[in-house]
Amino acid sequence: MRDAGAATDCVIALDVGGTNMKGAVLDRALRPLRTTRRPTPCRAGPDTVVTAIVATLRELYDAADARGATVHGVGVVVPGIVDEKSQMAVYSANLGWRDLPLTDRLTPALGLPVVLGHDVRAGGTAESRIGAARGTGDALFLAIGTGISAAVFIDGHPVRAGGYGGELGHLTVEPDGKPCVCGGRGCLETIASAAAIAADYTARTNRRVDGAAAVAALLRAGDCDAQAVWGRAVDALAVALATVGAILAPELVVLGGGLAQADKLLLDPLRDRLAGRLTFQRRPSLVRAALGDQAGCLGAGLLAWQRAHEPVAELHEQADGTRRWAL
């Protein structure tokens, strides 16, 4: 945890992932006044997850209250299928819930207005407002971690489609491929997610590795098996992005999530292989996310400020190259 500065007005933001929850008290400029991170107790069942969410939000509220800050609302973002209109967590395999009216559960427990959002759409919104996609109308935010999901922005507006938009991880790229947890086969997520890359390397070599970062390290060292596994994942991503390019024609693709930490090791070959699959279509720029693993939490904060109908400061570029926050 950390504290930074004093503020009068704030919101509470929480990004609930399948592994960890990342929370913060954020001021109008989305600066963290307090942050926290704790494990998500998925294996204990969905009710325990909700209890842990409430406890984490109360902890953050107490921290804001101790500073004398006014909390204007709470933003919570979760993975899976989220219907923002009905404020329903429709489905999450990782968190174990289906058709959960999460906002209705959290609001009375906290005594504060709560708004629910999708973790990747929220992260994409943060990248669009203050991150790598700022100023770009047509963009795709692709989060590659344990799973794969995307947020689509057209003319600056997120595509929600009743909560079903952006499930790029379940695009079939190998029709006869491995079974996926979604019930399909050969989904992008079974090949190019961080979890899949580590599993594929282990299956190929009978040598267990600690995540995709370890495969990336072996790739840098010239390991042939790592090259084969990584290359297959990059090819699958290129197929998926070429499909997106043909249909939605984004001008920018922002890569986030754990796998994006590989930076040029991922971006450079992906640019080349994507370019080789496109003919007349718009060729998007590929960049690494600017906000790292805080994008979802910052997006949750943006949702909370929007729900409270309060202005949020945005980052503006100055003539001298410096940046400043302004309403």
Side-chain angles (χ1 to χ4, degrees):
M1 297 182 187
R2 71 172 186 253
D3 290 291
T8 301
D9 300 308
C10 65
V11 293
I12 295 171
L14 185 65
D15 177 9
V16 182
T19 303
N20 293 302
M21 294 186 287
K22 296 179 286 289
V25 178
L26 301 172
D27 68 10
R28 289 186 187 276
L30 299 180
R31 290 181 295 244
L33 310 176
R34 177 83 169 213
T35 64
T36 188
R37 184 187 295 250
R38 60 175 59 180
T40 306
C42 295
R43 294 183 180 180
D47 288 338
T48 302
V49 172
V50 174
T51 299
I53 290 171
V54 171
T56 304
L57 293 173
R58 282 177 174 163
E59 172 195 313
L60 291 167
Y61 176 82
D62 289 344
D65 188 55
R67 303 174 67 95
T70 300
V71 179
H72 288 264
V74 177
V76 177
V77 297
V78 300
I81 306 300
V82 179
D83 186 347
E84 285 98 339
K85 186 175 181 180
S86 67
Q87 288 290 282
M88 180 77 70
V90 177
Y91 174 71
S92 175
N94 289 337
L95 301 179
W97 56 45
R98 185 183 292 274
D99 295 329
L100 176 67
L102 190 56
T103 301
D104 291 344
R105 292 277 298 272
L106 297 179
T107 299
L110 297 168
L112 289 167
V114 178
V115 60
L116 177 66
H118 182 263
D119 57 349
V120 175
R121 277 194 293 278
T125 298
E127 288 287 348
S128 180
R129 290 282 299 275
I130 61 173
R134 188 167 54 91
T136 303
D138 301 325
L140 180 81
F141 175 64
L142 182 60
I144 312 172
T146 304
I148 296 177
S149 187
V152 179
F153 294 84
I154 297 178
D155 294 333
H157 300 289
V159 176
R160 296 187 174 88
Y164 289 87
E167 289 295 331
L168 193 61
H170 298 288
L171 177 72
T172 299
V173 293
E174 287 187 355
D176 298 321
K178 294 179 182 178
C180 180
V181 293
C182 75
R185 298 186 71 92
C187 293
L188 177 64
E189 196 169 287
T190 67
I191 301 167
S193 68
I197 288 172
D200 283 355
Y201 185 86
T202 298
R204 183 182 179 92
T205 64
N206 289 319
R207 297 196 302 272
R208 185 175 180 81
V209 291
D210 186 20
V215 179
L218 289 164
L219 176 60
R220 291 188 182 95
D223 184 288
C224 293
D225 292 306
Q227 290 174 358
V229 170
W230 197 267
R232 180 169 174 257
V234 171
D235 279 338
L237 287 167
V239 170
L241 290 178
T243 302
V244 171
I247 299 171
L248 299 174
E251 56 187 306
L252 179 69
V253 174
V254 179
L255 296 178
L259 202 65
Q261 301 303 311
D263 203 6
K264 292 183 178 181
L265 199 65
L266 175 65
L267 290 171
D268 288 350
L270 183 55
R271 285 192 190 99
D272 291 341
R273 296 186 196 189
L274 176 59
R277 290 185 173 275
L278 299 176
T279 54
F280 67 90
Q281 298 92 347
R282 173 191 269 177
R283 297 191 178 190
S285 298
L286 268 63
V287 300
R288 182 179 168 186
L291 303 176
D293 69 352
Q294 295 304 307
C297 190
L298 292 171
L302 283 168
L303 284 173
W305 281 118
Q306 182 180 3
R307 168 67 174 75
H309 305 292
E310 293 286 342
V312 179
E314 291 199 35
L315 203 56
H316 292 266
E317 199 83 34
Q318 305 301 295
D320 61 2
T322 62
R323 295 179 175 185
R324 68 179 178 82
W325 290 97
L327 290 175

